[in-house]
Amino acid sequence: MTSTHAFWLAGRQATGETTFDVTSPWDGRLVGTVAVPTDAQVEEAVAAAHAVIDEFAATPAHVRAAALDHVSKRLVERTEEIAQLISAENGKPLKWARGEVGRAISVFRFAAEEARRFNGGEAQRLDTDAGGQGRLALTRRFPKGVVLGIAPFNFPLNLCAHKIAPAIAVGAPIILKPAPATPLSGLIIGELLAETELPAGSWSVLPVPNDKMPALVQDERLPVISFTGSDKVGYAIMDSVPRKHCTLELGGNGAAVVLADFASEEDLDWAATRIATFSNYQGGQSCISVQRVIADASVYDRLLPKIVAAVEAQVTGDPSDSATDVGPLVNEDAAKRVESWVDEAVEAGAQLLAGGKRDGASYAPTVLTGVPADTTLACEEVFGPVLTVQSVNGEAEAFAAANSSKYGLQAGVFTHDLQSAFRAHRALEVGGVVIGDVPSYRADQMPYGGAKQSGVGREGVKFAMDDYTYERVLVLTGLAL
């Protein structure tokens, strides 16, 4: 894993004048050395993508679908190798890295299926008024132009897949920028795309440094930006290019609500296990990890010790060990930030029930109660293995507490009551409500995105395809309808 990795410029391998090292957050070892594209090479990639817009949009559906199918199948063949790479560069436990590869396999397969169905068109009779007699409207979708996809570190393969696969499915050229901390997984996708027959300029994977991104964001030849990352960066991008189409999948402060009817020992064991697992998976570095538990007072006293026990049972350690549940954060600075937020909350009066210890880039799975509402931990996305638990009285108070965050990505509601489920769907200001489970569930074909400061637009293969395209109507005249 220590060879120098070329990047992918308009479908071919290339190297620049400089390189940077990718190191393991677990033990600091060198995972790989990555070539950095020069400014001239970035310009070449953008120019090539812009030049191939019409050709790629006109590429037969079977060609695009075959390329997507090919990537999906090759990911299957290389699952273990790629999972180990993800674990090495990201620090993600191997069990979760394997799951991520499986999801990326599905994303490319879903995109291949959608590419075959896409743009059949919708016909609409216009003779509903006299002036439309003999007229028929046919509405189809066409790419808005080249997509600039900016991916984060926490799902270095699957979130790259969520940028690239929908773009290929609709015939939109794409420039992908993987995260600087975890570029190797994205470069693997380039390796597999290079085995296909897609037009050469239709895709590039460029590990561009973050300080070079403003010029790309501003480039008028890149009218669509799909960004996953922090709300601060995402909204700065949107504010800088108000006339571009931006899809922003930003932060979260995921709440798991446990209502009064979810009260049997079996119910509470299930809730505690799911909460403990999904507040800590990926080291808590998921936008929909459980950060807040909001439990009805009637179940709180029985649920809390179960959560603490389940959190303390999480296996921490070497991410390359298949038994490990919780590995390190992406780097030591991230762990220090989490440490400072927890320390601030404790100093403000919160009670620490588990964890609260840092070792380098690792932070122990942590549970707190009584966290003051004005602390950073209560207000912001912790993006670490930290969980807060609070008691509320009744459903209305629970939903109000869930809505108290400036974020609104997803929420989980533990209830058996169908009416409560529908009330949650109506009341909770989020992009997705998961009933009977944590907010951390995501199926890659469903619409995924948030409300409030969690972003705009939706990912999920078909929904991203809609975001990358626009409707164009064709009016046919003189028809015998």
Side-chain angles (χ1 to χ4, degrees), residues 91-359:
K92 181 176 301 191
L94 192 56
K95 66 191 317 184
W96 298 114
R98 290 174 179 139
E100 180 175 348
V101 180
R103 290 180 61 187
I105 289 166
S106 295
V107 167
F108 279 98
R109 187 180 74 251
F110 295 152
E113 295 165 356
E114 293 294 344
R116 294 183 174 97
R117 289 190 287 263
F118 180 71
N119 223 4
E122 179 181 344
Q124 182 181 16
R125 292 180 67 131
L126 302 179
D127 61 354
T128 50
D129 289 315
Q133 188 167 332
R135 294 179 187 265
L136 183 78
L138 179 65
T139 303
R140 299 166 64 202
R141 301 190 71 89
F142 294 86
K144 293 172 179 173
V146 183
V147 177
L148 173 60
I150 306 171
F153 70 82
N154 57 327
F155 289 87
L157 180 74
N158 194 42
L159 292 183
C160 286
H162 271 285
K163 309 300 182 190
I164 290 178
I168 292 172
V170 301
I174 181 164
I175 307 290
L176 176 75
K177 178 202 176 299
T182 57
L184 301 177
S185 302
L187 292 172
I188 287 283
I189 296 177
E191 184 179 335
L192 304 182
L193 285 173
E195 300 170 352
T196 72
E197 297 180 1
L198 295 176
S202 61
W203 60 274
S204 294
V205 182
L206 303 179
V208 179
N210 286 342
D211 61 4
K212 298 288 187 180
M213 284 309 297
L216 267 177
V217 166
Q218 293 288 336
D219 197 308
E220 293 183 356
R221 294 167 295 178
L222 308 174
V224 180
I225 298 175
S226 178
F227 171 84
T228 302
S230 73
D231 57 332
K232 179 181 178 180
V233 175
Y235 285 119
I237 289 173
M238 176 177 277
D239 291 344
S240 72
V241 285
R243 290 179 175 83
K244 290 194 177 190
H245 177 90
C246 294
T247 298
L248 306 179
E249 197 280 283
L250 307 176
N253 189 346
V257 176
V258 184
L259 295 181
D261 71 288
F262 213 81
S264 72
E265 291 303 312
E266 183 180 4
D267 285 342
L268 297 180
D269 285 343
W270 162 258
T273 298
R274 299 294 285 178
I275 288 165
T277 297
F278 288 98
S279 64
N280 293 292
Y281 85 126
Q282 326 271 131
Q285 296 170 122
S286 168
C287 296
I288 47 176
S289 68
V290 185
Q291 184 171 334
R292 297 179 292 154
V293 176
I294 299 164
D296 191 89
S298 64
V299 298
Y300 177 85
D301 288 340
R302 290 189 295 139
L303 176 63
L304 181 59
K306 291 177 183 288
I307 290 175
V308 172
V311 167
E312 290 178 334
Q314 295 287 300
V315 178
T316 62
D318 186 345
S320 67
D321 186 338
S322 294
T324 297
D325 298 313
V326 187
L329 276 69
V330 69
N331 54 44
E332 187 168 358
D333 284 344
K336 287 180 177 178
R337 176 189 55 77
V338 173
E339 180 182 41
S340 70
W341 289 13
V342 171
D343 289 348
E344 176 201 26
V346 171
E347 289 170 5
Q351 182 181 4
L352 182 67
L353 302 183
K357 302 293 184 182
R358 181 180 66 83
D359 181 8

